[in-house]
Amino acid sequence: MNTFTYLFLFALAASVGLRLWLALRHTRHVSKHRDTVPESFAGRIPLEDHHKAADYTLTNTRMGMLALLYDSLLLVGWTLGGGLEWLDHYWRAAESQPVITGTVVIFSAMIIMSLLDLPFSLYHTFVIEERFGFNRSTPAVFLTDMLKNALLLALLGGPLIALALWIMQVTGALWWLYVWGVWMAFTLIMFWAYPAVIAPLFNKFSPLDNEALKQRIQALMDKCGFRSKGIFVMDGSKRSGHGNAYFTGFGSNKRIVFFDTLLESLNPPEIEAVLAHELGHFKLKHIQKRLASTFALSFAALALLGWLAGQDWFYNGLGISQPSAWMALLLFMLVMPVFSFFLQPLMSLLSRKHEFEADAYAVQQFSGSDLIHALVKMYRENASTLTPDPLYSAFHDSHPPAPVRISHISATMGAS
Ligand SMILES: [Zn+2]
């Protein structure tokens, strides 16, 4: 125990306290508005669906509070409780090369962490999602996903961790700069390869086969000056009834993906409006901007780690007696979120700014009213709450709250 221990415990208590307070505000706000559909959605979302959205949100938020307390106890257990210290001693006893010992320590910690998290993800998928009619996953799909994830982690994460540890061992005080370079190169490669290599391991992606719709979409893409291998339809229904659309990748691998569940519920003009929104993200270079901020933030984080890794009090304060490169990485990964949570409103703000911009682009290039129709359908079918607590939303939501978003689109339509 040292001063840093107290600082860590104080930050942990503050961030847990803040999260709980926000979640409680959120549940109170949603409960209070449970019996009235907001005015701007009256007639478009039936009271019955509004009730469902409220109940779904309340269940998930309460579950989130439980998970938060559980995770915080685990974090204290891993650090001050001696969990990591024990794991470290256990693998050090095998007397391997430091890079191997370190990789194995990090790896086994990650496996134990995901196993400890398993009850919550099982409960979420097979109890909550099931109860609200969203779950389409089976135990077999769930188990295969887990195995595939573990395999990917071993094949991609293993060498990456080993490389980072090796760099830390052989380069001097500026190791963090090299690790940052490797990490960013890996991020770029993954970003490029993900749509074509990783995502197909989990889902089927097929080209859109509706000829009429395809032509409309092609016309819209031409109008917006967008070249890609086209629109892909993903079998999202394999796991869940939730529908969505997203853009991904860059260069020759950029693509727009629609969940099959979403295509089923939207009519062609609504699909075009959603597409126009996604094209807006491309046109306005949101991917590049997001990558640039990731680069800048990781640079700052690694510079900080570069300094922390050389301080004995950093290890000792978190329950580790013997400093090492791998413990520096592990402790940082575990403890960093406690402090960085306070920056989350900034990240959410940036993301919501991009959403507004993409909406404005869709209004300008296609149609605001079709976009509103599409969004209302998506809110209804995903049981998204229309009445989030404003503060909770400011912290957590990457997308603007439904009423704010809709009124923004209406205002843009009026202005153009
Ligand atoms: Zn968007």
Side-chain angles (χ1 to χ4, degrees):
M1 295 277 259
N2 58 28
T3 315
F4 187 60
T5 311
Y6 294 109
L7 181 66
F8 163 64
L9 287 174
F10 176 75
L12 180 64
S15 77
V16 170
L18 178 59
R19 280 168 191 255
L20 286 178
W21 178 68
L22 289 170
L24 279 171
R25 279 181 61 106
H26 190 49
T27 53
R28 245 181 280 137
H29 200 88
V30 171
S31 306
K32 203 175 108 192
H33 294 91
R34 186 179 180 273
D35 289 320
T36 342
V37 179
E39 214 178 305
S40 50
F41 294 92
R44 292 193 273 192
I45 294 203
L47 186 61
E48 190 192 334
D49 288 336
H50 184 65
H51 278 159
K52 180 182 170 189
D55 297 340
Y56 183 57
T57 307
L58 291 172
T59 308
N60 275 325
T61 312
R62 285 176 186 139
M63 193 64 198
M65 288 196 267
L66 257 183
L68 170 66
L69 291 174
Y70 175 75
D71 287 342
S72 309
L73 281 177
L74 283 182
L75 177 59
V76 173
W78 278 113
T79 52
L80 306 175
L84 287 179
E85 174 80 352
W86 179 85
L87 203 64
D88 198 31
H89 279 290
Y90 182 83
W91 289 116
R92 273 177 192 272
E95 291 186 42
S96 289
Q97 296 278 335
V99 169
I100 296 176
T101 307
T103 310
V104 175
V105 170
I106 293 182
F107 221 81
S108 48
M110 283 168 116
I111 289 173
I112 299 171
M113 281 172 203
S114 51
L115 288 177
L116 288 170
D117 195 44
L118 198 57
F120 278 91
S121 45
L122 280 170
Y123 189 83
H124 181 259
T125 305
F126 294 106
V127 179
I128 298 181
E129 294 291 287
E130 188 73 37
R131 187 191 310 157
F132 288 92
F134 289 123
N135 181 41
R136 309 257 173 95
S137 188
T138 60
V141 170
F142 192 89
L143 191 70
T144 332
D145 282 355
M146 244 178 55
L147 293 175
K148 282 181 193 165
N149 275 318
L151 207 65
L152 272 176
L153 183 71
L155 290 177
L156 296 173
L160 190 69
I161 292 167
L163 180 61
L165 291 174
W166 179 76
I167 292 174
M168 291 169 86
Q169 197 179 46
V170 298
T171 59
L174 283 179
W175 64 262
W176 59 271
L177 197 60
Y178 301 109
V179 169
W180 177 73
V182 168
W183 176 238
M184 290 308 102
F186 177 76
T187 305
L188 279 179
I189 294 171
M190 282 306 290
F191 208 77
W192 180 79
Y194 183 85
V197 182
I198 311 278
L201 296 175
F202 293 89
N203 281 96
K204 267 201 200 70
F205 292 82
S206 31
L208 189 66
D209 60 2
N210 179 331
E211 241 355 278
L213 185 59
K214 222 160 131 180
Q215 276 173 18
R216 299 176 69 134
I217 282 175
Q218 197 54 54
L220 181 62
M221 294 209 290
D222 291 344
K223 183 181 169 204
C224 297
F226 179 82
R227 250 189 288 265
S228 94
K229 289 184 183 149
I231 304 289
F232 287 81
V233 182
M234 187 186 106
D235 61 342
S237 56
K238 182 176 167 189
R239 294 185 184 80
S240 147
H242 288 297
N244 209 346
Y246 67 90
F247 64 92
T248 173
F250 58 78
S252 58
N253 265 348
K254 65 184 176 208
R255 52 182 75 183
I256 288 170
V257 176
F258 274 89
F259 284 34
D260 53 356
T261 33
L262 185 65
L263 280 186
E264 269 162 36
S265 63
L266 301 185
N267 66 31
E270 290 163 354
I271 292 171
E272 278 181 88
V274 173
L275 173 68
H277 169 96
E278 299 302 334
L279 290 175
H281 283 307
F282 268 119
K283 276 287 159 189
L284 302 163
K285 303 208 179 317
H286 291 159
I287 288 193
Q288 287 92 323
K289 287 177 187 166
R290 214 181 297 165
L291 273 175
S293 56
T294 307
F295 276 37
L297 281 175
S298 0
F299 184 85
L302 272 161
L304 177 63
L305 177 59
W307 175 68
L308 285 174
Q311 316 299 320
D312 283 347
W313 51 258
F314 174 60
Y315 304 89
N316 299 337
L318 294 170
I320 301 297
S321 56
Q322 223 175 326
S324 62
W326 58 89
M327 272 305 152
L329 288 182
L330 248 181
L331 286 175
F332 195 67
M333 241 161 41
L334 279 177
V335 169
M336 185 66 187
V338 171
F339 294 92
S340 65
F341 175 68
F342 300 98
L343 291 177
Q344 201 171 301
L346 273 177
M347 300 307 288
S348 302
L349 191 71
L350 182 72
S351 166
R352 288 194 299 265
K353 181 172 169 278
H354 288 171
E355 293 307 324
F356 284 133
E357 289 173 3
D359 281 346
Y361 182 88
V363 171
Q364 186 202 346
Q365 295 291 330
F366 188 67
S367 144
S369 55
D370 286 313
L371 183 59
I372 292 180
H373 289 150
L375 286 172
V376 169
K377 273 191 187 167
M378 286 162 82
Y379 292 139
R380 199 174 81 198
E381 286 173 12
N382 287 329
S384 314
T385 179
L386 304 173
T387 59
D389 174 62
L391 258 184
Y392 175 90
S393 173
F395 257 84
H396 290 285
D397 290 348
S398 60
H399 286 62
V404 179
R405 192 166 175 192
I406 301 286
S407 74
H408 253 254
I409 298 172
S410 305
T412 322
M413 286 159 67
S416 61

